[in-house]
């Protein structure tokens, strides 16, 4: 077993060959995962299963189970690149009960697997609603790269505007990939806060309603929360007055 960790520590690639033992887990994989989780909320794991992989001994199978149970919520996504049909089938059978997205790739698709590991599972859509109103929709689980792209979109839309009104659509928002992405969220808002006239927050979770109350103080602008089914009323409220 060989483990490679990305420069930021949030992506771990493990190469499996021969027979994997419990010692491989306790001395190689577990320390790498625990070190990554000490710096990140979650990690992404890519397992590259070489053709000569023979499986686990009993101790390694138990170590694999313990690793999954002890870090159940610690994985953001898992990918397995393997040509053995029994490995692919095992992963696909386990995928529905795992708490994160799982993808299976052929070894010939290794670079595609690596791209999938790097990609964001979330997206930010910035659109103009007409006049001074802008809608920002947060979808899925976001990482800092998505905020960088959204910042460019906002800059383009706000160019030449003396003020704007903002609709924040959180109906399909699942959170952030760690504190770095959360910090990017507030940086995006802070950069344009001086131009903000009013803001509507649309969602269906209690914390989102609380966020609206906090935002009214932080942003220094009038804000209002709307339930998911009231998004059209939110748009009307923004445009009025």
């Amino acid at each position: 077993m060989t483990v490679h960790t990305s420069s930021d520590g949030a992506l771990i690639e493990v190469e499996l060959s021969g027979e994997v033992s419990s010692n491989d887990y306790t001395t190689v994989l577990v320390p790498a995962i625990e070190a990554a989780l000490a710096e990140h909320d979650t990690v992404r794991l890519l397992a590259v299963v070489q053709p000569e992989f023979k499986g686990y001994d009993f101790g390694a199978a138990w170590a694999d189970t313990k690793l999954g149970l002890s870090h159940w919520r610690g994985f953001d996504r898992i990918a397995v690149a393997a040509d053995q049909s029994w490995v692919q089938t095992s992963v696909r059978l386990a995928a529905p009960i795992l708490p994160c997205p799982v993808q299976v790739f052929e070894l010939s698709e290794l670079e595609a697997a690596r791209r999938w590991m790097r990609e964001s599972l979330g997206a930010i859509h910035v659109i103009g609603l007409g006049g001074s109103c802008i809608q920002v929709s947060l979808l899925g689980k976001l990482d800092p790269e998505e905020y960088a792209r959204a910042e460019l979109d906002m800059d383009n839309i706000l160019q030449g505007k003396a003020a704007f009104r903002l609709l924040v659509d959180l109906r399909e928002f699942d959170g952030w990939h760690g504190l770095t992405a959360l910090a990017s969220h507030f940086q995006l808002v802070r950069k344009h806060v001086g131009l903000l006239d009013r803001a509507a927050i649309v969602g269906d979770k209690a914390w989102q309603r609380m966020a609206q109350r906090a935002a009214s103080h932080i942003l220094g602008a009038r804000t209002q929360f709307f339930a998911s089914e009231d998004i059209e009323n939110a748009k009307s409220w923004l445009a009025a007055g």
Side-chain angles (χ1 to χ4, degrees):
M1 176 186 291
T2 306
V3 172
H4 305 280
T5 304
S6 63
S7 58
D8 69 354
L11 194 158
I12 296 173
E13 182 173 319
V14 54
E15 185 176 324
L16 304 176
S17 61
E19 185 176 67
V20 175
S21 68
S22 59
N23 185 62
D24 292 322
Y25 271 84
T26 57
T27 63
V28 181
L29 184 57
V30 172
I33 290 175
E34 292 183 343
L37 288 174
E39 299 293 332
H40 302 273
D41 295 338
T42 57
V43 297
R44 301 177 181 184
L45 180 67
L46 169 60
V48 182
V49 184
Q50 297 296 344
E52 62 270 21
F53 177 65
K54 298 177 181 177
Y56 306 98
D57 66 18
F58 180 78
W62 173 237
D64 188 57
T65 302
K66 288 195 298 181
L67 175 65
L69 292 175
S70 60
H71 299 295
W72 184 252
R73 295 293 178 185
F75 295 101
D76 170 58
R77 71 183 73 175
I78 296 172
V80 177
D83 288 338
Q84 300 93 324
S85 59
W86 67 269
V87 173
Q88 296 175 354
T89 300
S90 298
V91 174
R92 291 188 176 110
L93 288 174
I97 65 172
L98 293 175
C100 66
V102 178
Q103 285 273 30
V104 177
F105 299 84
E106 301 280 346
L107 275 178
S108 61
E109 300 173 315
L110 182 55
E111 288 307 311
R114 288 171 173 153
R115 283 196 301 273
W116 183 74
M117 295 297 283
R118 292 192 299 266
E119 290 173 353
S120 173
L121 288 177
I124 302 176
H125 295 164
V126 182
I127 59 173
L129 296 177
S132 62
C133 298
I134 295 172
Q135 178 173 331
V136 177
S137 299
L138 279 61
L139 310 173
K141 201 168 186 179
L142 299 172
D143 60 24
E145 288 76 14
E146 287 302 316
Y147 282 99
R149 284 187 281 270
E151 186 173 345
L152 290 175
D153 292 339
M154 285 197 71
D155 289 344
N156 291 332
I157 291 177
L158 292 177
Q159 190 171 12
K161 293 185 183 294
F164 74 102
R165 297 181 176 186
L166 178 65
L167 187 151
V168 182
D169 181 2
L170 302 177
R171 292 175 299 169
E172 298 181 47
F173 180 50
D174 296 325
W176 297 275
H177 283 304
L179 296 179
T180 303
L182 176 58
S184 298
H185 177 79
F186 289 108
Q187 289 169 5
L188 175 65
V189 175
R190 187 174 64 237
K191 180 177 180 180
H192 300 287
V193 70
L195 302 177
L196 183 62
D197 177 49
R198 66 171 65 179
I201 297 177
V202 179
D204 55 11
K205 297 180 177 63
W207 72 264
Q208 295 168 350
R209 187 180 294 273
M210 293 174 61
Q212 175 266 319
R213 294 170 183 164
S216 64
H217 300 288
I218 296 172
L219 300 177
R222 185 182 176 189
T223 68
Q224 188 164 324
F225 183 86
F226 294 83
S228 294
E229 62 271 18
D230 293 330
I231 188 169
E232 293 305 319
N233 291 334
K235 293 177 181 179
S236 297
W237 178 78
L238 278 183

